Amino acid sequence: RVDVVGCEQSMDSPVHRLSELGSKSFIEPLSRHAAERAFSPGDQREERNHSGLVKFKRQPKVPDVGGLGWRTKTGHLLKNQSFYSQKPKTNLWDEPAHAGINTWKDWHGPKMRTDADMMERLDRFDEEEANWEAKKTFVNTTRVQTLDRFYNRKITRSMSETQPSWAPHHRAKREVHSSYETFESCMGEKPQKELKKVYTEKVLQRDREAIRQITKRMQNEETWKMVFKQMEQERRQDIRADLQMRQAQTDRLMAMSGQPLRQDPSHQEL
């Protein structure tokens, strides 16, 4: 029999409904409401932290924005901007526009109602803030420990210098890295008693004299630079005055010979 179909022969054949195509408009199985009422007010994370979960229920309604895809009058799915979503690494079944009625009721509707995406973003933000605070605490603690260690070394070195017997001082920086292979670094390794043997009164006197000579020479060079610059400015003014005198003489000769003079607004007669 072609009038009934199905295993139990209890369903009418769709052949009898061909005559009804186009005579009736498509009616959505779920009612729609405004998108402002799709989200529940407040942060659901407090409830999750208190009870360990967020209770939800099946959603019998669909918001007009962000819900199931709109359909035409004949029932075809409208391929608008929400249909062609550009979310990376997202399956089509996880898009509300491509979901069916049961998937919306059991998954997309409760997910939108509890605002799960916003909860996930807030959790990620709190995690980043906690990591940043941990990093700041670690850096500040390490800095305080380093300052304390350096200050203890300074006190130990000063106490060792005041002792009647010589005590070993801290290790040289040039043993840590080759960049400390300098004269200043070598002098920093020695205690005050040894430094006085190197920097004697004669050495310090000659050092002061050398600094005075260097400063005097640098000042002399700067003075001559200023003099040369002033001479260049005066020579430029003399050249400009000579050119103006030549131009005035040329204009006078042209006027005497009856030739037309040039009209230059910037020209000044002497």
Side-chain angles (χ1 to χ4, degrees):
R1 297 176 56 189
V2 297
D3 296 337
V4 292
V5 293
C7 295
E8 300 180 355
Q9 300 292 320
S10 59
M11 300 293 295
D12 295 335
S13 175
V15 178
H16 300 285
R17 300 184 180 180
L18 294 176
S19 60
E20 299 178 359
L21 292 177
S23 61
K24 295 182 180 180
S25 300
F26 174 76
I27 300 176
E28 293 187 350
L30 299 178
S31 59
R32 294 183 178 268
H33 59 82
E36 292 79 7
R37 296 160 45 190
F39 303 97
S40 58
D43 190 359
Q44 300 291 335
R45 294 190 299 170
E46 297 181 0
E47 180 182 355
R48 183 193 61 185
N49 297 335
H50 178 70
S51 59
L53 53 89
V54 178
K55 297 181 180 180
F56 66 94
K57 58 182 179 179
R58 290 166 57 91
Q59 296 297 319
K61 296 184 179 181
V62 183
D64 54 358
V65 179
L68 295 177
W70 290 89
R71 293 184 179 273
T72 60
K73 188 175 182 180
T74 57
H76 297 286
L77 188 61
L78 184 62
K79 297 182 179 180
N80 52 7
Q81 185 177 3
S82 62
F83 181 85
Y84 296 101
S85 179
Q86 299 295 330
K87 295 181 180 179
K89 299 181 181 179
T90 304
N91 295 324
L92 290 180
W93 64 265
D94 204 12
E95 294 288 343
H98 296 268
I101 298 175
N102 296 330
T103 307
W104 169 261
K105 290 182 178 180
D106 297 333
W107 170 247
H108 294 288
K111 181 181 178 182
M112 182 178 291
R113 186 65 178 176
T114 56
D115 206 357
D117 295 335
M118 180 59 69
M119 292 172 59
E120 185 177 359
R121 287 194 292 269
L122 292 176
D123 292 341
R124 192 180 302 111
F125 176 77
D126 292 343
E127 183 179 0
E128 292 176 357
E129 286 292 326
N131 293 336
W132 176 247
E133 291 295 334
K135 289 181 180 179
K136 288 199 301 185
T137 304
F138 173 76
V139 172
N140 294 333
T141 304
T142 306
R143 179 178 179 275
V144 172
Q145 293 176 356
T146 305
L147 293 177
D148 292 342
R149 184 171 64 255
F150 287 169
Y151 186 71
N152 290 332
R153 285 184 180 181
K154 180 180 178 181
I155 294 178
T156 304
R157 186 164 57 252
S158 61
M159 293 177 63
S160 299
E161 292 177 357
T162 57
Q163 294 296 326
S165 61
W166 182 83
H169 54 281
H170 65 284
R171 301 183 66 87
K173 289 185 178 181
R174 53 188 172 83
E175 298 180 4
V176 179
H177 198 270
S178 59
S179 61
Y180 294 106
E181 289 285 351
T182 58
F183 178 77
E184 297 179 357
S185 177
C186 296
M187 292 297 102
E189 302 169 6
K190 301 181 180 299
Q192 185 177 2
K193 183 178 179 181
E194 297 296 328
L195 288 176
K196 289 182 178 180
K197 297 179 181 180
V198 178
Y199 295 114
T200 59
E201 293 294 334
K202 196 66 175 179
V203 172
L204 296 178
Q205 180 182 358
R206 294 294 178 84
D207 183 70
R208 287 193 292 269
E209 292 178 358
I211 292 176
R212 292 195 188 99
Q213 293 293 335
I214 294 173
T215 307
K216 183 178 179 180
R217 183 173 180 179
M218 294 179 62
Q219 183 64 37
N220 192 17
E221 291 179 357
E222 294 295 331
T223 304
W224 278 108
K225 286 182 182 179
M226 294 178 61
V227 172
F228 289 151
K229 189 174 181 180
Q230 186 175 2
M231 291 176 59
E232 290 178 355
Q233 293 179 356
E234 293 178 357
R235 184 170 179 272
R236 181 174 179 272
Q237 294 177 0
D238 294 341
I239 292 174
R240 286 174 58 89
D242 184 61
L243 292 176
Q244 290 179 359
M245 291 181 63
R246 292 182 182 182
Q247 184 64 39
Q249 182 67 18
T250 303
D251 294 343
R252 191 178 301 110
L253 293 176
M254 293 176 64
M256 294 173 62
S257 62
Q259 297 180 8
L261 299 177
R262 65 169 186 167
Q263 300 295 330
D264 189 2
S266 61
H267 176 66
Q268 298 179 359
E269 297 184 357
L270 296 178

